[in-house]
Amino acid sequence: MKDNISIVVASDNFYAILIAALLKSIDVNHKTPEHIDFHIIDDGISTKFKKQLETIVDPSRLTIFWHTSKSIIPANLSIPVDTSGFPMTTYLRVFAPNVVGLDVHKLLYIDVDIILQDDISKLWNMSTGEHVIGAIQDIAKTVDCEWGGLPNYKELGLDPKTKYFNAGVLLINTDKWREQNISAEIIGALIKYKETVQLGDQYGLNVVFAQKWQELDQKWNWFASWENENPSLVHFLDIKPIFTTYNSNEFFKKEFFRYLDMTPWKGFKVINGKNRLFRKAFNKLKKAFLRLR
């Protein structure tokens, strides 16, 4: 198992369809002999979807493992409730190392709104160097970005041009993560600085790892709003291609549906963009309720 490529993703049922395109894109482009262990943190995905997803890969090449969201969160930790429209699911990446065994010394955490255009083994075989994680610089490039970044960077003693990374693709040294109790440290930062949290757990990750992360090539987290430069991994950071209101690079949308059409969801009809807004409003209301409990 320790020689396998270990990938972790997390999703609720609303965005589960994205997993199908991601998984097929990984499968199609993986040419080297490593077996892939594909771990899915299940935050309410339907049984029907799970059964269909299992049919799209060869189990001799790739094995799917399911983990309930509640099973990976330690009893002594709880996810802080912010005021954003992001689903609580996004915080599950903080606990990604909990889904793999102690014989797995690193993992790749990947957001589900992604497709691969290259062999995942190339990313897997990169190094985090002396650091706990390897990551790619965000579209909000530095901590002083007004709409992203870390609003309290001065309080944290950081230079305003300290690089800020995107949490959608993380190469994690699980041994160091566990040794340093990183999950608890991130949750602690989110609680301590709750008044300045932006972009949920990405804020906490950048606080904890400020100036302490291995920078990886941008082509391994290429944002779909940018022009095509033959990236290895495409991240649909803004509106997802499953919605009528998708507004990023059209080529990447076609690539997404090329992979999706290789699955039981061939011919999937895009969803009215209003549904996305309703979902964000629902997430906010749910969080407001949780804060009152």
Side-chain angles (χ1 to χ4, degrees):
M1 179 181 288
K2 63 183 179 181
D3 295 324
N4 294 0
I5 295 174
S6 295
I7 300 170
V8 179
V9 303
S11 182
D12 57 18
N13 199 55
F14 187 72
Y15 284 110
I17 185 67
L18 300 175
I19 302 175
L22 167 61
L23 185 58
K24 181 50 70 172
S25 73
I26 291 172
D27 183 41
V28 167
N29 292 294
H30 182 47
K31 308 300 182 184
T32 50
E34 304 99 334
H35 188 87
I36 295 176
D37 291 336
F38 193 81
H39 298 266
I40 302 174
I41 304 173
D42 167 18
D43 198 24
I45 299 172
S46 73
T47 300
K48 180 181 178 180
F49 179 87
K50 292 179 186 178
K51 289 180 178 178
Q52 288 179 306
L53 191 70
E54 294 276 1
T55 68
I56 74 174
V57 291
D58 178 354
S60 69
R61 284 171 34 86
L62 189 150
T63 305
I64 297 174
F65 297 91
W66 296 94
H67 310 266
T68 61
S69 55
K70 291 181 180 179
S71 70
I72 69 160
I73 302 174
N76 64 325
L77 292 178
S78 59
I79 298 175
V81 182
D82 62 31
T83 59
S84 75
F86 291 111
M88 297 296 284
T89 311
T90 186
Y91 286 91
L92 294 174
R93 94 184 81 223
V94 173
F95 307 102
N98 293 355
V99 310
V100 298
L102 296 178
D103 59 339
V104 177
H105 304 298
K106 67 176 177 178
L107 65 81
L108 274 170
Y109 179 88
I110 303 178
D111 277 349
V112 294
D113 57 344
I114 276 170
I115 55 172
L116 270 291
Q117 298 285 67
D118 202 346
D119 196 324
I120 194 74
S121 65
K122 295 179 182 177
L123 178 57
W124 174 254
N125 286 312
M126 291 180 184
S127 172
T128 61
E130 62 183 11
H131 303 294
V132 179
I133 66 166
I136 294 96
Q137 193 171 16
D138 189 63
I139 196 167
K141 292 184 176 297
T142 51
V143 296
D144 64 343
C145 175
E146 292 184 1
W147 54 265
L150 305 177
N152 60 330
Y153 69 86
K154 291 181 181 178
E155 177 188 352
L156 295 168
L158 298 174
D159 183 282
K161 296 308 174 186
T162 298
K163 288 185 177 181
Y164 175 89
F165 63 86
N166 180 270
V169 178
L170 298 173
L171 182 61
I172 299 174
N173 181 314
T174 54
D175 294 331
K176 290 183 178 180
W177 184 287
R178 295 185 185 109
E179 288 167 5
Q180 298 177 33
N181 202 13
I182 295 297
S183 297
E185 191 174 351
I186 293 170
I187 295 298
L190 290 166
I191 294 171
K192 181 177 181 180
Y193 303 115
K194 62 182 179 180
E195 301 302 324
T196 53
V197 170
Q198 291 190 140
L199 303 179
D201 60 305
Q202 183 164 287
Y203 170 92
L205 280 155
N206 272 277
V207 168
V208 170
F209 291 116
Q211 301 174 331
K212 295 185 293 183
W213 54 282
Q214 181 68 38
E215 186 170 5
L216 307 178
D217 194 309
Q218 186 72 62
K219 72 178 184 177
W220 288 103
N221 196 351
W222 189 264
F223 306 121
S225 57
W226 294 348
E227 289 302 311
N228 178 24
E229 290 189 11
N230 194 31
S232 295
L233 181 153
V234 180
H235 192 173
F236 297 98
L237 198 60
D238 193 10
I239 301 174
K240 315 312 173 193
I242 58 173
F243 296 112
T244 55
T245 46
Y246 175 81
N247 59 358
S248 296
N249 191 306
E250 193 64 23
F251 173 77
F252 296 140
K253 178 181 179 180
K254 291 178 180 177
E255 286 296 280
F256 173 88
F257 281 102
R258 180 170 71 88
Y259 293 118
L260 193 62
D261 282 347
M262 299 179 194
T263 77
W265 292 274
K266 181 179 181 179
F268 177 86
K269 293 183 179 179
V270 291
I271 304 167
N272 190 309
K274 291 181 179 178
N275 287 27
R276 168 180 165 270
L277 299 177
F278 290 149
R279 187 67 179 182
K280 292 187 76 171
F282 170 79
N283 289 335
K284 285 190 174 185
L285 287 171
K286 181 179 179 180
K287 289 178 178 179
F289 172 75
L290 290 172
R291 287 195 299 276
L292 292 173
R293 291 177 63 182

